[in-house]
C-alpha cells in the first residue's frame, strides 16, 4: 500500500537519492509534498528487511524442515532484491520496466511471507489432510497454477500502465481473461470439493476478492483514465481507488497461492491405470 501510494501521488522521485535520503540514512527530512510518501515507504521497507532477516535467522536455527529454511532464505533474497529494484527506480529515474519489476517482486515477497505463515501455523503441522483425488482434466491444481500465472501477467500489465510504459487497454482486456480463469477455478473448487474446508474457504475468498477487484478496477479506470487524465496533480478519488486496487490485487494473488497450496495438499491428481477399451472422456466442470 505504501508503494502504491507513492506511485499514485507521483512521489517516486521526491527523495532523489538512494540508499540515503537527502544525504542521510536515518535523519527524518521535512515531510512535505511527496517526500512524506516516499520517505515513509522507505522506512517501512527498511523495517521489513529487518523483520525478514529475523524470520530467516529464526527459521534457520529452529526449523527442522530444510525446505522451509530455504523458503525463508528465498523471502530474504526477495526482499533484498525488492530494495535494490527500488533504488534502481530512483537512480535511473523510474524506468517503467524496473518500476514494474519492483512492484512484481513486492507481491512475490508477500506471497512467500503468506506461505511461511501457513507452513509454520499449528493447523498445518497438526492437521491430518482430508484427501480427495481429482480425476478431472484439467485438474483443479492445474487451474490454480493457471490462475496464478494470469494474475502475474495482469500484475505486470497493470504496473506498466501505472508507470507509463504502455497504454491501459492491455490491462483492461486481460482482466476479462483473469476473471474467466479465476471464476472457473472457484466454481470447480466449490462445486466438486466444497466438503474440504481448507479448499472451500480460500476459494470463496478468491471469488469475493475477484469481484471486489473488478469493481475497484472500474473505479480506478474512471478516476485515472476517464476523469483524471487532464488533472494537474493526482486527485484523492484516483489515489484512493488505485491504492485499494493494488492492495486487493495483492490479497487476491496471495489467496490464489493459498488455494493452490491447499489443493496440492488435499486434492492430489489421480492417475488411474488405463485398460484398453475402458477409456472415458475426462469430466469437466
Amino acid at each position: 500500500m505504501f508503494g502504491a501510494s507513492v506511485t499514485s501521488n507521483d512521489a517516486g522521485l521526491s527523495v532523489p537519492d538512494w540508499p540515503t535520503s537527502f544525504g542521510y540514512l536515518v535523519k527524518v527530512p521535512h515531510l512535505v509534498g511527496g517526500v512524506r510518501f516516499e520517505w515513509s515507504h522507505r522506512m517501512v521497507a527498511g523495517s521489513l528487511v529487518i523483520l525478514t532477516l529475523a524470520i530467516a535467522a529464526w527459521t534457520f536455527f529452529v526449523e527442522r524442515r530444510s525446505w522451509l529454511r530455504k523458503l525463508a532464505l528465498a523471502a530474504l533474497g526477495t526482499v533484498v532484491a525488492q530494495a535494490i529494484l527500488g533504488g534502481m527506480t530512483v537512480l535511473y529515474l523510474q524506468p517503467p520496466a524496473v518500476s514494474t519489476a519492483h512492484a512484481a517482486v513486492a507481491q512475490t515477497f508477500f506471497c512467500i511471507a503468506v506461505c511461511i505463515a501457513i507452513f509454520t501455523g499449528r493447523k498445518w503441522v497438526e492437521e491430518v489432510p482430508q484427501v480427495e483425488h481429482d480425476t478431472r482434466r484439467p485438474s483443479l491444481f492445474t487451474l490454480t497454477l493457471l490462475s496464478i500465472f494470469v494474475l502475474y501477467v495482469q500484475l505486470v500489465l497493470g504496473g506498466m500502465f501505472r508507470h507509463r510504459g504502455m497504454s491501459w487497454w492491455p490491462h483492461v482486456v486481460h482482466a476479462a481473461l483473469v476473471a474467466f480463469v479465476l471464476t472457473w477455478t472457484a466454481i470447480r473448487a466449490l462445486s466438486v470439493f466444497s466438503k474440504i474446508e481448507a479448499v472451500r474457504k480460500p476459494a470463496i475468498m478468491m471469488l469475493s476478492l475477484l469481484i471486489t477487484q473488478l469493481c475497484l478496477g472500474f473505479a480506478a479506470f474512471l478516476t485515472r483514465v476517464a476523469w483524471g487524465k487532464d488533472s494537474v496533480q493526482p486527485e484523492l478519488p484516483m489515489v484512493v481507488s488505485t491504492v485499494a486496487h493494488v492492495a486487493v490485487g495483492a490479497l487476491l494473488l496471495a489467496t490464489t497461492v493459498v488455494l493452490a497450496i491447499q489443493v496440492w495438499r488435499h486434492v492430489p491428481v489421480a492417475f488411474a491405470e488405463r485398460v484398453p477399451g475402458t477409456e472415458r472422456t475426462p469430466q469437466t466442470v
Side-chain angles (χ1 to χ4, degrees), residues 10 15 34 36-37 45 53 58 78 112 116 122 124 138 154 168 176 194 221 225 233 239 243 251 283:
D10 290 334
V15 180
R36 65 181 183 273
F37 298 108
L53 180 61
W58 177 86
T78 304
I112 294 175
I116 292 175
R122 177 176 297 179
W124 179 273
Q154 184 71 349
W168 55 266
S194 60
F221 176 83
V225 178
Q233 61 183 11
V239 173
V243 171
L251 291 174
Q283 301 180 37

Side-chain angles (χ1 to χ4, degrees), residues 55-66:
I55 292 173
W58 177 86
T59 306
F60 183 80
F61 289 109
V62 176
E63 181 58 54
R64 295 181 179 179
R65 292 168 288 181
S66 61

Side-chain angles (χ1 to χ4, degrees), residues 107-186:
Q107 296 208 21
T108 302
F109 167 78
F110 179 56
C111 290
I112 294 175
V114 169
C115 291
I116 292 175
I118 291 175
F119 296 144
T120 56
R122 177 176 297 179
K123 187 173 183 179
W124 179 273
V125 175
E126 298 178 353
E127 178 186 50
V128 177
Q130 183 181 350
V131 177
E132 184 175 340
H133 292 283
D134 188 359
T135 59
R136 291 162 175 79
R137 298 295 181 270
S139 67
L140 180 57
F141 184 62
T142 299
L143 290 177
T144 59
L145 294 181
L146 180 60
S147 297
I148 294 171
F149 174 75
V150 297
L151 282 172
Y152 259 105
V153 173
Q154 184 71 349
L155 170 61
V156 171
L157 294 176
M160 289 295 289
F161 165 57
R162 286 198 315 277
H163 295 287
R164 301 179 177 88
M166 65 169 53
S167 180
W168 55 266
W169 67 264
H171 182 59
V172 173
V173 171
H174 190 261
L177 177 61
V178 172
F180 172 76
V181 173
L182 267 64
T183 301
W184 184 12
T185 303

Side-chain angles (χ1 to χ4, degrees), residues 59-109:
T59 306
F60 183 80
F61 289 109
V62 176
E63 181 58 54
R64 295 181 179 179
R65 292 168 288 181
S66 61
W67 59 269
L68 188 52
R69 294 198 297 268
K70 293 176 182 177
L71 186 62
L73 290 177
L76 181 60
T78 304
V79 78
V80 170
Q82 163 77 353
I84 293 173
L85 286 169
M88 292 174 62
T89 297
V90 173
L91 297 178
Y92 292 98
L93 305 180
Q94 296 180 308
V98 176
S99 299
T100 300
H102 180 58
V105 173
Q107 296 208 21
T108 302
F109 167 78

